Amino acid sequence: MAQLPVVRRTEKLREITAILKSERTVFLSAFFYSGKTVLLDQLCASWGGTVLRFRFPNDDWDAFYRQVLQEKQALIAIDGVDNSSGIMMTEIAAMLAGLSENQYAILAGRAQQPSALHSLCVTGMITVLGREFVLFSEEEIIQLFLEYGIELRPSDVREILDWLWGWPFSLHILARMMQKGSESSLLSLIHQTRNEIKRVLVSDVVLTFLEAERQLLYNLSPFERFSEDMARIVTGRNDAPRMMEEIARKSYMLLRAGEGEYSFIPIVRQALFSEMRNLYTQDYINEQYKRAALYHELQNQVPKALSYYRQLGDKNKIRDLLIRDAFNRPADGDYVDLLEGYAVLDMDTILSYPELIKGKCEIESLRGHAEESERWYQTLVQFIRQTPARDARRKTAEEAKAYLDLCLSHRGSKNTLQKLLAAAKAPDLLQSSAWRKGFSVSGNSVSLMNGGLDFCRWAQHGWRIYHLFKIPIEMALGRGGSGVADIAIAERELEARPDGDYSLAMRKVREGIQRIVDNPDIYYAAIGIQSRILAAQGNPDEAIRMMDHAIASLSDQHPKRLKKNLEAFRMDLALLRGETAGAGNWMETEAPDETGDFIIMDRYQYMLKLRIYLILGQHAKVPFLAALLRQYFESYDRPYMLIQLNLLEAVSHYRAGKDAWRDRMREALALARRYGLVRVIANEGIAIIDMLNEMELPQDPWTQDVLTLTRRQAAFYPNFMKEAANKPVFTDREYQVYSLMIAGYKNAKIASVLNISERTVKYFCGLIYQKLGVSTRAEALNKAAELGDIK
């Protein structure tokens, strides 16, 4: 590695030096061939003082230890600590614990945390810089390939990062392939590189483990993530947790993914699984899948269990699991993820079981396919007609139909009150398996104003409904009904209260929370309402703390979309305060893709994405997503979210200078007025206040209430929905070059200051010109002046 072209990692060296000066001891931890030794070489060369260097296993430890004891002012650099004996590791730990005031130590190794150093790491005496620190950044990748004489396009850099994650070993392999002038595409060369990495992983790393450890790694390699309990079941070893902890400490073959959870780096898993298929029979591998499927089934993690039964091609097991799950998890937010399980079953099988017909009906509704959902509903009706009363499936089908009558998402809330009352008067129905499981607010079921169904129409009559129908409604909702009426009226008070006094709303939601018996979805919906009340009162810090606590308390047993929706709401609260730092990362890693399958359960995330488009000034992306949302909100009877959508579209048109903003604003105001809502308008605060001031609005009480609350919201959150400055976004290295360039530095001087080659400077200048929309240095300086960067 040291003989290959080398990039001087100036920024990393500065970071390490700063940490050493303050913390005094650093452990540089990364997997094999990751450039740790080169980084140590560069640090030692740049250190302004005495350096004592030791390399396991070749150097003389006793002689080195004597030097450390004699030299009281020095940088102590130890490389390859993984190759040391247990006795030496004990001596290293003792040496580090006894460093003098002017001694600094840096160690490097493949272990995530050597056992002998564990106590020092836990107590903070050693600062661990892990693999993410060592990996190359975009700028360093560009510089490395320039050393090979290869200029990469920005899209090439992103593709290399996506597939090879900045691992120096892989970058050198790819660069040498490209240097040979291969006619293969970049992606093809990347895949060749990955194959070479997998080969070396097995030959140089995996085979160095003990046989028992290798077998454990092979047995777990079919799975991306696993808990300690799952590892016990899959491997058949009660000591699996201890072995996994040891492997994770001494290598990067396993990564901790949470409390008692582990995962593989993807390419490590692929290398292990490829070798497993060479060493073991398919029957043996299938046995691992069966055990994993059973584990997830027992944990009620049905989509995961189904994925393994699909791998095994076990249609009977898939059928039985889907039937049982149809009433065990009625319409929670993840129900749509069962679609792949249904895809395995033939049509005759689905049509033979009312539970499966009901499941298909719900899934298609969640996917936004209302017509297809109704077709399955009619199939269920036909099943009832054709099935004799003595057949037990007839009663199951009737219960399924009653459930769908009440909660099918695409039908909206029309006649829901009558259906609830009818259900409350049917004791046999209330005792059925479907009703005993209750309803889920995170699914397509009866819930609050803006949960599974939109109860805007109830807002106008909220207290009358509350007093007259509280008991029958909660009876009809089954196990999960307790507290729902209080929480729903609290939301009504928040949304319709004209004077901004939300003390009653807070009191009722707390009363509702105290009455909840066994419905975590309703509980988290109530927490969300409490947070909204706090935000409306101008207390976003407490609102965010409340959401952080709620998110942290979620377990793996909760629907994953519940957590995603809570996280989206948490980001909405951050946006109120003008905090957009996490928005870009969320868009890249978490946001749903509107160009794929449009899942209505992701509606909160889609709305957040729309907001971020507006904040980033990406108005061209707004119409497509807005059109999908409008179709859903209108066809599924979601007036509350339709009001929000109209407001966001109005903001987009207004900022783009289009008169269409007035139509969208009028539609939003008309809908809000119809249902007696004020908070939904006021929530947008500063983002819409100018538009409201420009409109000719009636001088009636409702309008004045809206204006008063909107102005109050604008005063609370003056940075909400503020559009990002229309400046090019530079990477750290680009910004460094740009800053020096506009300060009048020539390329040679910039290269000297940044400690990079002049060829690298020219490359970055080209990227800067592209982002500025210019072609020469003079034009770039003029543009910088226009942007206010040159005073």
Side-chain angles (χ1 to χ4, degrees):
M1 290 287 286
Q3 297 177 350
L4 298 172
V6 174
V7 171
R8 181 165 180 78
R9 309 189 68 182
T10 308
E11 295 301 321
K12 294 296 184 187
L13 295 175
R14 286 175 182 164
E15 288 185 56
I16 294 174
T17 301
I19 294 171
L20 282 170
K21 293 295 186 182
S22 62
E23 306 296 334
R24 301 188 53 229
T25 307
V26 167
F27 177 53
L28 200 59
S29 164
F31 37 50
F32 75 107
Y33 304 157
S34 58
K36 300 182 295 296
T37 298
V38 175
L39 201 50
L40 274 187
D41 290 340
Q42 293 181 3
L43 178 67
C44 292
S46 65
W47 189 262
T50 303
V51 175
L52 303 179
R53 185 77 183 270
F54 184 87
R55 300 170 182 84
F56 279 110
N58 300 321
D59 293 349
D60 185 333
W61 171 255
D62 292 332
F64 173 76
Y65 203 179
R66 286 193 297 271
Q67 281 186 295
V68 171
L69 295 175
Q70 294 171 3
E71 186 61 63
K72 298 301 183 182
Q73 295 186 7
L75 171 67
I76 302 164
I78 303 176
D79 194 8
V81 294
D82 317 89
N83 297 314
S84 63
S85 67
I87 296 175
M88 279 190 184
M89 283 302 303
T90 302
E91 292 181 358
I92 290 173
M95 179 192 72
L96 295 176
L99 289 177
S100 65
E101 184 177 352
N102 293 313
Q103 285 181 321
Y104 307 92
I106 181 165
L107 296 80
R110 296 181 184 179
Q112 293 186 55
Q113 194 179 99
S115 299
L117 303 181
H118 177 64
S119 60
L120 297 180
C121 293
V122 170
T123 57
M125 293 184 64
I126 298 179
T127 299
V128 179
L129 299 179
R131 65 189 181 97
E132 295 298 333
F133 180 86
V134 177
L135 297 179
F136 269 34
S137 64
E138 287 189 25
E139 291 79 8
E140 289 171 329
I141 291 173
I142 291 168
Q143 291 179 62
L144 178 62
F145 277 76
L146 285 171
E147 294 296 330
Y148 277 96
I150 301 167
E151 290 193 7
L152 296 173
R153 298 171 299 179
S155 59
D156 295 337
V157 179
R158 287 192 293 271
E159 192 162 27
I160 290 170
L161 265 178
D162 287 343
W163 287 98
L164 302 178
W165 3 274
W167 186 10
F169 174 59
S170 65
L171 299 175
H172 280 287
I173 294 176
L174 177 62
R176 281 184 288 176
M177 287 184 180
M178 295 175 69
Q179 198 178 40
K180 293 177 182 178
S182 171
E183 295 182 0
S184 300
S185 66
L186 175 62
L187 188 57
S188 175
L189 292 176
I190 286 173
H191 286 311
Q192 291 179 47
T193 300
R194 287 171 64 86
N195 288 334
E196 177 64 13
I197 293 170
K198 286 188 278 188
R199 184 190 66 77
V200 176
L201 264 169
V202 173
S203 63
D204 288 15
V205 181
V206 176
L207 293 181
T208 65
F209 283 84
L210 299 173
E211 183 177 351
E213 294 174 332
R214 289 202 306 272
Q215 185 174 4
L216 179 133
L217 289 170
Y218 290 141
N219 286 344
L220 293 174
S221 67
F223 316 107
E224 295 178 357
R225 181 169 173 156
F226 34 88
S227 66
E228 293 178 347
D229 287 338
M230 176 180 166
R232 285 193 187 96
I233 291 175
V234 168
T235 65
R237 299 187 64 110
N238 286 327
D239 62 348
R242 179 193 60 77
M243 291 179 66
M244 291 192 299
E245 182 179 5
E246 180 62 23
I247 291 171
R249 276 191 182 178
K250 71 181 183 181
S251 73
Y252 275 89
M253 300 303 288
L254 286 177
L255 301 176
R256 289 179 178 84
E259 186 66 31
E261 296 274 337
Y262 291 84
S263 67
F264 288 109
I265 297 171
I267 198 165
V268 171
R269 188 185 77 82
Q270 293 161 13
L272 287 167
F273 191 43
S274 178
E275 185 67 5
M276 183 187 188
R277 284 181 291 194
N278 291 333
L279 298 174
Y280 297 89
T281 66
Q282 188 60 48
D283 286 343
Y284 183 90
I285 295 172
N286 286 346
E287 187 60 34
Q288 312 309 305
Y289 283 125
K290 288 179 184 177
R291 293 176 180 179
L294 177 61
Y295 168 79
H296 287 291
E297 187 177 343
L298 293 174
Q299 295 294 314
N300 203 29
Q301 296 168 351
V302 178
K304 201 67 177 176
L306 285 173
S307 69
Y308 295 131
Y309 285 129
R310 285 191 68 205
Q311 189 78 27
L312 294 164
D314 192 339
K315 293 184 179 181
N316 290 336
K317 194 65 179 175
I318 291 172
R319 177 201 64 202
D320 295 344
L321 190 55
L322 287 173
I323 290 172
R324 187 169 74 248
D325 191 59
F327 288 124
N328 284 344
R329 298 189 315 145
D332 80 13
D334 296 343
Y335 203 82
V336 70
D337 295 335
L338 303 181
L339 181 62
E340 291 185 358
Y342 281 91
V344 174
L345 304 179
D346 58 75
M347 188 60 67
D348 288 342
T349 299
I350 297 175
L351 294 176
S352 299
Y353 296 91
E355 300 95 333
L356 299 181
I357 299 173
K358 169 181 175 282
K360 284 289 291 181
C361 185
E362 289 183 290
I363 286 174
E364 295 303 333
S365 186
L366 288 170
R367 295 177 69 202
H369 301 164
E371 292 184 3
E372 185 68 7
S373 178
E374 285 296 333
R375 189 178 72 80
W376 281 104
Y377 178 84
Q378 292 302 322
T379 301
L380 184 62
V381 172
Q382 189 68 19
F383 183 96
I384 295 171
R385 291 172 181 165
Q386 295 177 350
T387 304
R390 62 180 179 275
D391 191 328
R393 293 180 302 167
R394 168 77 176 261
K395 183 178 180 181
T396 300
E398 289 172 342
E399 292 176 1
K401 178 181 176 297
Y403 188 94
L404 294 174
D405 285 338
L406 191 59
C407 73
L408 268 182
S409 188
H410 64 269
R411 292 183 178 178
S413 59
K414 187 177 181 181
N415 299 324
T416 301
L417 184 58
Q418 293 89 326
K419 293 172 184 174
L420 281 167
L421 293 175
K425 296 175 182 177
D428 291 343
L429 189 61
L430 296 182
Q431 294 303 313
S432 70
S433 56
W435 254 255
R436 285 199 304 272
K437 293 298 180 181
F439 295 81
S440 165
V441 72
S442 66
N444 68 331
S445 56
V446 175
S447 64
L448 312 183
M449 182 182 295
N450 195 31
L453 297 179
D454 188 324
F455 289 111
C456 278
R457 293 178 180 83
W458 292 20
Q460 300 163 293
H461 315 290
W463 282 102
R464 275 183 287 173
I465 292 175
Y466 175 81
H467 290 304
L468 292 173
F469 304 118
K470 173 181 176 179
I471 294 176
I473 286 176
E474 293 194 352
M475 285 177 56
L477 291 178
R479 183 191 63 170
S482 299
V484 166
D486 289 324
I487 297 167
I489 201 63
E491 187 172 25
R492 186 267 181 190
E493 281 296 295
L494 168 63
E495 295 292 346
R497 188 82 183 186
D499 58 6
D501 181 359
Y502 305 119
S503 55
L504 178 58
M506 185 64 84
R507 179 164 63 83
K508 295 306 293 184
V509 75
R510 286 171 176 167
E511 289 177 5
I513 288 175
Q514 291 175 356
R515 294 179 54 230
I516 294 173
V517 177
D518 185 20
N519 195 329
D521 296 304
I522 293 292
Y523 170 78
Y524 287 107
I527 295 297
I529 293 170
Q530 281 186 294
S531 298
R532 287 161 56 193
I533 294 171
L534 289 168
Q537 293 172 330
N539 192 355
D541 294 341
E542 184 61 29
I544 288 176
R545 279 194 292 271
M546 183 174 287
M547 291 309 302
D548 285 339
H549 179 76
I551 293 168
S553 68
L554 287 168
S555 71
D556 289 340
Q557 302 302 314
H558 289 98
K560 67 180 182 182
R561 278 188 172 80
L562 174 59
K563 182 176 183 179
K564 286 181 177 293
N565 287 338
L566 290 178
E567 289 172 339
F569 180 57
R570 198 267 185 210
M571 186 166 289
D572 272 327
L573 293 172
L575 294 181
L576 277 179
R577 300 195 301 188
E579 297 173 4
T580 59
N585 182 60
W586 181 84
M587 292 282 274
E588 291 182 8
T589 60
E590 300 293 334
D593 180 10
E594 64 264 32
T595 64
D597 204 0
F598 189 85
I599 307 300
I600 67 169
M601 293 311 306
D602 295 334
R603 56 189 177 272
Y604 303 112
Q605 297 171 68
Y606 286 127
M607 290 295 283
L608 173 60
K609 193 171 186 180
L610 203 58
R611 287 189 183 280
I612 295 174
Y613 281 154
L614 295 177
I615 291 170
L616 298 178
Q618 298 176 348
H619 298 286
K621 296 181 179 180
V622 170
F624 179 75
L625 178 54
L628 291 175
L629 288 168
R630 180 170 293 276
Q631 181 182 9
Y632 160 50
F633 296 154
E634 290 179 348
S635 61
Y636 276 52
D637 191 23
R638 297 292 189 273
Y640 186 90
M641 298 195 85
L642 187 57
I643 296 170
Q644 292 180 310
L645 177 62
N646 280 315
L647 292 171
L648 293 182
E649 285 192 279
V651 172
S652 179
H653 291 317
Y654 186 79
R655 292 179 179 178
K658 298 178 181 178
D659 289 337
W661 70 265
R662 293 181 183 274
D663 293 333
R664 288 289 183 249
M665 183 61 76
R666 289 191 190 97
E667 186 175 347
L669 292 170
L671 275 172
R673 180 190 294 272
R674 181 188 307 173
Y675 300 116
L677 307 175
V678 290
R679 191 74 236 169
V680 66
I681 303 293
N683 281 338
E684 302 305 328
I686 196 71
I688 64 168
I689 195 67
D690 288 341
M691 288 184 279
L692 291 176
N693 290 335
E694 289 185 32
M695 295 182 69
E696 295 181 3
L697 299 174
Q699 299 297 312
D700 59 88
W702 181 86
T703 303
Q704 295 309 307
D705 291 337
V706 167
L707 289 173
T708 298
L709 292 181
T710 304
R711 288 168 184 149
R712 184 184 301 177
Q713 186 82 354
F716 283 152
Y717 307 108
N719 295 315
F720 176 56
M721 291 294 290
K722 186 176 181 181
E723 190 167 357
N726 188 24
K727 286 188 175 183
V729 179
F730 294 129
T731 64
D732 290 343
R733 180 64 79 186
E734 288 169 353
Y735 186 74
Q736 291 171 343
V737 173
Y738 175 69
S739 299
L740 294 172
M741 182 179 70
I742 63 178
Y745 286 54
K746 302 298 183 184
N747 286 354
K749 181 63 173 176
I750 295 174
S752 175
V753 170
L754 298 179
N755 201 14
I756 57 179
S757 70
E758 191 170 348
R759 180 172 58 182
T760 302
V761 173
K762 290 179 180 178
Y763 177 84
F764 280 106
C765 284
L767 296 178
I768 291 167
Y769 294 166
Q770 289 178 21
K771 291 187 176 182
L772 291 173
V774 300
S775 56
T776 67
R777 197 183 199 89
E779 291 175 350
L781 295 175
N782 289 334
K783 185 67 174 179
E786 291 176 14
L787 294 171
D789 293 334
I790 297 179
K791 305 299 183 183

